[in-house]
Amino acid sequence: RSFIPSFGISEYSGLFIAGPWNFQAIGLARRARRAKVPISYAAKGGLSRADFSRLRDIKKIPYFLGIEIFLLWWARAIIFSSAIERDNCVVPRALWGHKQVIVPEPFSPPPLSQLSNLQRCAPVLGFMAEIRSLKGLQELVEAVAMLRARGKEIRLRIAGVSRPGSENYLARIRTFADRHGLSKELEWLGEVRSDQSRSEFYESLDIFVCPSKSESFGLTPLEALWHGIPVAMGSNIGVRSYIPADAPVAIFDKITPEEIAATLDGLIFK
């Protein structure tokens, strides 16, 4: 049922649609178009190439062709959170390039804290995200196993729960960890939500790792830097556009266990 009040969509000055895979959106957009109400659309990272990289992603194509293409076509403005999100859009730029707008996510950052030093014999890494394939946790856990096989002591604190539909993905990671004897290296924290809990999480780390394959923005690397924690992150994370050039950030060129292990090895054990 539509959430538009009964007095009609024509009473509005504009319609803003945020986020992909919204079955109600196409109906609202049709009504807005008939009423000549301008539409703005922000896909919020849901149209990145990384979301269409697996065989199982074929099932998204009917929805994509039936709804997303029309939203991009009808919208007067296509809003991206960063240039990185824009550049990773799977849809040809010819459809939306002339009406793109970059609007960063609203945030008010404090000054970056002084960096913590790596003083522990077993450095602590941190991961915080909704657990699903796009976030790269499997590659990170496999990288930890590689480092341990090289005799490198390391720990990984994992904050987050699986996204609905990604339970099997999380189960595969746990099975891999059990098979490789990583019970001492991995700490599963579940969801960390409150500001105090998030601060305590970051302050317990030596390095924060964000191995996401794509993020329209992605605030967690900035949160880690605010707490004085160095960051290792994927190259297709939108917030990179807003991090100072001299910040202590290492970039993974590819999200593979080998690349992550090599980067972390150089950061921690150089």
Side-chain angles (χ1 to χ4, degrees):
R1 195 171 58 140
S2 173
F3 60 78
I4 297 296
S6 58
F7 56 78
I9 200 168
S10 60
E11 300 294 326
Y12 288 86
S13 299
L15 173 66
F16 175 57
I17 299 173
W21 322 118
N22 183 345
F23 288 94
Q24 191 179 51
I26 192 67
L28 295 176
R30 283 197 186 104
R31 291 174 59 188
R33 196 162 181 260
R34 286 197 297 267
K36 298 184 178 180
V37 173
I39 302 166
S40 299
Y41 178 50
K44 309 296 285 184
L47 296 180
S48 74
R49 293 187 183 93
D51 268 320
F52 295 85
S53 60
R54 300 168 299 172
L55 186 61
R56 60 180 292 186
D57 294 330
I58 291 175
K59 67 183 181 182
K60 300 177 183 177
I61 292 177
Y63 175 92
F64 177 78
L65 294 176
I67 294 182
E68 294 297 323
I69 291 294
F70 284 100
L71 292 178
L72 291 167
W73 179 25
W74 292 343
R76 180 176 295 182
I78 306 300
I79 300 172
F80 298 98
S81 296
S82 63
I84 290 174
E85 179 192 9
R86 177 199 63 196
D87 295 343
N88 281 282
C89 182
V90 72
V91 183
R93 190 173 293 207
L95 189 63
W96 50 262
H98 58 291
K99 50 188 177 181
Q100 60 172 297
V101 181
I102 295 178
V103 180
E105 299 288 337
F107 68 100
S108 180
L112 298 183
S113 299
Q114 186 171 352
L115 286 179
S116 303
N117 293 320
L118 297 180
Q119 297 178 340
R120 286 175 278 211
C121 59
V124 179
L125 310 179
F127 169 95
M128 181 189 291
E130 181 183 58
I131 297 176
R132 58 188 178 112
S133 175
L134 190 68
K135 303 298 184 178
L137 179 59
Q138 182 172 344
E139 289 83 352
L140 176 56
V141 170
E142 291 181 16
V144 169
M146 288 180 177
L147 290 172
R148 200 195 69 161
R150 298 172 192 169
K152 309 292 177 67
E153 292 188 42
I154 199 167
R155 291 172 51 211
L156 173 62
R157 306 192 79 208
I158 301 168
V161 296
S162 62
R163 180 179 184 170
S166 295
E167 294 84 0
N168 289 339
Y169 173 75
L170 176 56
R172 288 197 301 271
I173 297 173
R174 286 184 172 274
T175 298
F176 174 90
D178 291 342
R179 191 166 62 243
H180 288 78
L182 298 179
S183 59
K184 293 182 179 179
E185 284 77 12
L186 304 187
E187 183 181 0
W188 300 89
L189 303 175
E191 194 167 19
V192 176
R193 301 191 64 175
S194 72
D195 290 344
Q196 180 178 349
S197 296
R198 291 173 78 92
S199 292
E200 291 172 352
F201 168 76
Y202 289 117
E203 290 166 5
S204 72
L205 308 177
D206 293 301
I207 295 177
F208 179 74
V209 187
C210 183
S212 291
K213 297 163 187 174
S214 179
E215 296 278 357
S216 61
F217 194 72
L219 190 58
T220 53
L222 270 183
E223 289 182 333
L225 291 171
W226 296 340
H227 287 84
I229 306 302
V231 170
M233 62 190 287
S235 60
N236 290 326
I237 297 177
V239 79
R240 282 185 62 199
S241 303
Y242 308 101
I243 293 177
D246 59 349
V249 175
I251 302 298
F252 304 127
D253 292 329
K254 298 182 291 183
I255 303 301
T256 64
E258 295 78 10
E259 172 73 10
I260 294 172
T263 302
L264 294 176
D265 200 351
L267 285 174
I268 301 170
F269 303 106
K270 59 184 178 181

